[in-house]
Amino acid sequence: MSTSDKLTPTAQNGADMGAYSWGQTLNEVTLNVKVPEGTRARDIVVDIKQQYLTVGLKNAEPIISRKLHKKIKVEDSFWQLGL
């Protein structure tokens, strides 16, 4: 990766990836996914696994579907639909 390809960190020590952004502390990572206005929680599909994360809307291509950098504690993970 060249210097021009590197992401500029956000104030939350993460990055803005377009369809989603993330930030981190030493103990947690927060991921914010952009969904259309009016989206309800029942319209969202979230699958959190120890080393893989999928987030999207029902009957659509996932917004995120990728292997995680490190293993996570699934039982300590949660998601919420923000305002």
Side-chain angles (χ1 to χ4, degrees):
M1 178 181 285
S2 71
T3 305
S4 62
D5 293 338
K6 291 184 179 179
L7 297 171
T8 303
T10 62
Q12 295 77 33
N13 196 30
D16 185 349
M17 307 300 286
Y20 66 94
S21 63
W22 61 275
Q24 66 182 356
T25 65
L26 291 175
N27 296 315
E28 75 179 33
V29 173
T30 301
L31 179 71
N32 295 299
V33 179
K34 296 176 184 174
V35 296
E37 190 171 326
T39 299
R40 297 172 295 186
R42 66 179 177 219
D43 299 326
I44 299 173
V45 177
V46 178
D47 188 15
I48 303 171
K49 296 196 168 148
Q50 197 173 46
Q51 280 197 278
Y52 208 88
L53 175 67
T54 303
V55 179
L57 301 174
K58 285 185 181 177
N59 304 315
E61 288 292 317
I63 298 167
I64 300 170
S65 185
R66 63 181 302 153
K67 184 176 180 185
L68 301 173
H69 179 68
K70 292 191 176 190
K71 288 183 180 180
I72 64 167
K73 295 179 183 177
V74 176
E75 63 276 6
D76 290 347
S77 303
F78 69 94
W79 72 274
Q80 67 182 27
L81 180 60
L83 301 175

